[in-house]
Amino acid sequence: MASTPPLSTVLHLPVRLDVAGHVAEVGTIELDTGKPTWPQVADALRDLADALVAAADSPPDEDDDQEVSTDGTS
């Protein structure tokens, strides 16, 4: 009797950045359980690093100099 390979599942893990108590959900890492995990995580972290560099190198918006209160009201 032939066996069928196990079905792979895609997990969606949230990525949250926490800087001095200010938390932002910046996306998700999709992991295919049928493939090796660490190469997938490494690729996702490279993509995140590229996005952070692009954001840091982009020209400032007029809102970039505004301060945000700790309670998020202003």
Side-chain angles (χ1 to χ4, degrees), residues 8-65:
S8 62
T9 302
V10 176
L11 300 174
H12 300 272
L13 304 175
V15 176
R16 293 184 181 102
L17 293 180
D18 183 336
V19 178
H22 299 280
V23 180
E25 188 163 318
V26 295
T28 59
I29 295 177
E30 293 182 2
L31 297 178
D32 184 340
T33 60
K35 297 179 181 177
T37 302
W38 285 112
Q40 295 178 78
V41 171
D43 288 342
L45 291 176
R46 282 187 201 99
D47 291 344
L48 176 59
D50 290 343
L52 290 172
V53 168
D57 290 344
S58 67
D61 292 337
E62 52 185 65
D63 290 340
D64 285 348
D65 293 330

